Amino acid sequence: MQVEAPAILRALAAGFTRFIRAFAPHHPAQVIVLGFAGAVAAGTGLLLLPVATADGGGASPLDALFTATSAVCVTGLITVDTPVFWSGFGQVVILVLIQIGGFGVMSFGTLLGVLTARRLGLRSRISAAAETKSSGFGDVRQVLVGVLLISLIVEAALALILTIHFMAGYGYPPGDAVWHGVFHSISAFNNAGFALYSDNLMGFVGDPWICLPISAAVIIGGLGFPVLFELGRQFRRPIHWSMNTKLVLVGSAILLAGGTVFLTAVEWANPATLGGLSPADRVLAGFFQSAITRTAGFNSVDIAQMNPVSWLGMDILMFIGGGPAGTAGGLKITTFAVLFFILSTELQGGTAVNIFGKRLSRAVHRQAITVVLLAIALVTGSTMFLMLITDFGQERILLEVISAFATVGLSTGITAAIPPAGQLVLILLMFVGRLGPVTLGAALALRERPMLYEYPKERPLIG
């Protein structure tokens, strides 16, 4: 036995090494997915603690998992009333999860490595570059520090404005004003939509000092960090802006203005939403809801009382979302802009897709089509499943599903009433929606399989 023991140990060590190599993540997307899953698991564990709930009785595993996923994926859908159900400790946990999720789990972990060890390993640089969509490995440190500075500046400025207004305009004690200011500023910039009021922000529907700063933070976070970096470097030289920046800025302006006009017009005479407000407040509420629909999830009017046509319009806005590599969700403005220009080129009989004087890479064509088709399939399948297990109408379920997938957080109030199986579907949608269908698909792939040959071409009949 003494002779065989080393051999057995060597065999066990070799087997363990092969196991680690077989199942350890090799693709950056796999690392990102596991990082987000780990953050959700840690948040769930903290929210399960009795101290996390106001009554000290502890949350159910499903409520804790749902809330943690919603926070990490910066969605804002809830199954329990945030200010009533969760204690101060629980709300702090939610706030930390929002900040980590909005910043990016792998980016947050890599930034900690930069601040402590002051150096990055290759895997950390690759993972952070994939998550932040950096142009290369060498600039990852600079990008992460820039993301941190932008986040802190915007959140601090908004927190200061809200804190002062809560004290001066509503008589909040200083401690409460600071807490409400900080919580809503972080929730707004990270496009999370969590609020410390049971009716969200409906009590501030006509207050521009609340609605406009929060809208501004949501819009800034939704532009994406690459756009913010480029604007910081070349704000006065738009001719040098990249195609990505131009698409995001032009698309955001069109969707924001179009959404404001549409929602304000449809809801103008609805007594349950905008009808009882002054004309100025109606326009403010319409603008706020248009900005928030992409993709923060706050609401200053009762979503459940809105016209079904408004729900459909918000579905479209939520599905499109904001800019890439930021805190917004959805399929991103650039994805739909690419599809629009592909369609326009095809209708005009063109051979190459040109955008703002630049030719679009054909690889981007396939990526955009893949992302949209996967998203449509996931949203359609989830909607059909929820229709089978609930009695809610298709309009409400579709809004709930798109809100979860696009990590928005808007709801007609049916989230808590959906059966556990349906809530698990929403959890999956939030997770996939935050990471992106392609990222998740790449993470599940065992290895890349490059084609070493090509088949002969042939064209089927289309249409």
Side-chain angles (χ1 to χ4, degrees):
M1 294 297 296
Q2 293 180 350
V3 177
E4 295 179 355
I8 295 175
L9 292 176
R10 285 196 298 271
L12 290 174
F16 180 74
T17 301
R18 285 195 296 270
F19 176 82
I20 292 298
R21 289 178 178 175
F23 292 96
H26 300 288
H27 196 284
Q30 291 176 313
V31 180
I32 295 172
V33 170
L34 291 178
F36 269 83
V40 170
T44 302
L46 291 173
L47 292 178
L48 281 172
L49 297 175
V51 69
T53 56
D55 60 3
S60 69
L62 183 57
D63 286 336
L65 175 62
F66 194 99
T67 304
T69 305
S70 184
V72 172
C73 298
V74 291
T75 304
L77 286 176
I78 55 175
T79 56
V80 293
D81 192 353
T82 302
V84 175
F85 184 83
W86 301 109
S87 65
F89 173 81
Q91 293 172 12
V92 170
V93 170
I94 293 172
L95 192 64
V96 172
L97 293 177
I98 291 173
Q99 187 70 80
I100 294 176
F103 190 83
V105 173
M106 297 311 302
S107 299
F108 182 79
T110 305
L111 180 64
L112 290 180
V114 172
L115 298 177
T116 55
R118 296 187 177 277
R119 63 190 185 92
L120 296 174
L122 179 60
R123 174 166 292 186
S124 297
R125 291 202 303 271
I126 293 175
S127 300
E131 193 172 60
T132 59
K133 291 182 171 55
S134 303
S135 58
F137 300 148
D139 64 342
V140 170
R141 185 196 304 267
Q142 182 179 357
V143 168
L144 292 178
V145 174
V147 170
L148 177 63
L149 289 177
I150 291 175
S151 301
L152 292 179
I153 290 173
V154 176
E155 290 172 357
L158 178 58
L160 179 62
I161 294 173
L162 295 180
T163 299
I164 294 175
H165 190 60
F166 281 137
M167 287 192 298
Y170 294 94
Y172 283 26
D176 291 343
V178 170
W179 170 236
H180 280 72
V182 170
F183 188 97
H184 292 96
S185 67
I186 293 177
S187 182
F189 177 73
N190 290 285
N191 280 222
F194 280 89
L196 294 179
Y197 304 96
S198 298
D199 61 355
N200 207 275
L201 298 180
M202 290 174 58
F204 306 104
V205 62
D207 190 340
W209 287 100
I210 299 292
C211 294
L212 292 181
I214 287 180
S215 298
V218 169
I219 293 171
I220 293 173
L223 291 178
F225 292 110
V227 173
L228 297 177
F229 290 151
E230 188 162 8
L231 291 178
R233 294 192 304 266
Q234 305 187 76
F235 181 76
R236 297 184 177 181
R237 294 187 294 175
I239 192 174
H240 296 296
W241 291 352
S242 65
M243 181 189 298
N244 178 78
T245 295
K246 293 178 181 178
L247 287 176
V248 171
L249 291 178
V250 173
S252 296
I254 293 174
L255 293 174
L256 181 60
T260 300
V261 173
F262 173 78
L263 292 176
T264 303
V266 174
E267 297 295 326
W268 186 269
N270 186 348
T273 55
L274 304 186
L277 304 176
S278 67
D281 289 347
R282 295 183 197 185
V283 175
L284 175 62
F287 170 79
F288 180 80
Q289 212 54 60
S290 175
I292 294 304
T293 304
R294 312 179 32 254
T295 56
F298 292 111
N299 62 283
S300 61
V301 296
D302 190 352
I303 302 297
Q305 300 299 323
M306 296 182 77
N307 193 302
V309 176
S310 298
W311 293 344
L312 182 59
M314 290 193 296
D315 288 341
I316 297 173
L317 293 174
M318 290 190 297
F319 198 61
I320 295 175
T327 59
L331 292 185
K332 307 300 185 289
I333 294 173
T334 48
T335 303
F336 278 85
V338 165
L339 291 181
F340 171 80
F341 282 103
I342 291 175
L343 175 63
S344 177
T345 301
E346 193 66 25
L347 292 177
Q348 295 175 16
T351 57
V353 179
N354 300 314
I355 305 176
F356 298 126
K358 299 289 183 67
R359 182 168 57 87
L360 189 66
S361 170
R362 291 193 177 274
V364 180
H365 301 195
R366 299 192 301 270
Q367 293 173 0
I369 293 172
T370 300
V371 169
V372 172
L373 290 180
L374 285 175
I376 291 175
L378 189 59
V379 167
T380 302
S382 301
T383 301
M384 295 173 65
F385 177 76
L386 291 182
M387 289 177 65
L388 288 174
I389 66 172
T390 69
D391 296 326
F392 299 112
Q394 177 182 336
E395 298 92 343
R396 293 177 182 271
I397 292 177
L398 181 61
L399 187 140
E400 196 83 9
V401 167
I402 294 180
S403 180
F405 175 75
T407 66
V408 180
L410 292 177
S411 174
T412 58
I414 66 174
T415 310
I418 293 177
Q423 292 182 3
L424 290 175
V425 169
L426 295 179
I427 289 173
L428 178 63
L429 286 171
M430 289 188 288
F431 192 81
V432 174
R434 177 57 179 161
L435 297 176
V438 173
T439 301
L440 187 60
L444 297 177
L446 295 178
R447 66 173 67 91
E448 295 182 357
R449 296 179 176 86
M451 295 294 293
L452 302 179
Y453 56 88
E454 291 185 355
Y455 291 105
K457 291 183 178 180
E458 186 173 349
R459 297 186 63 174
L461 299 177
I462 301 298

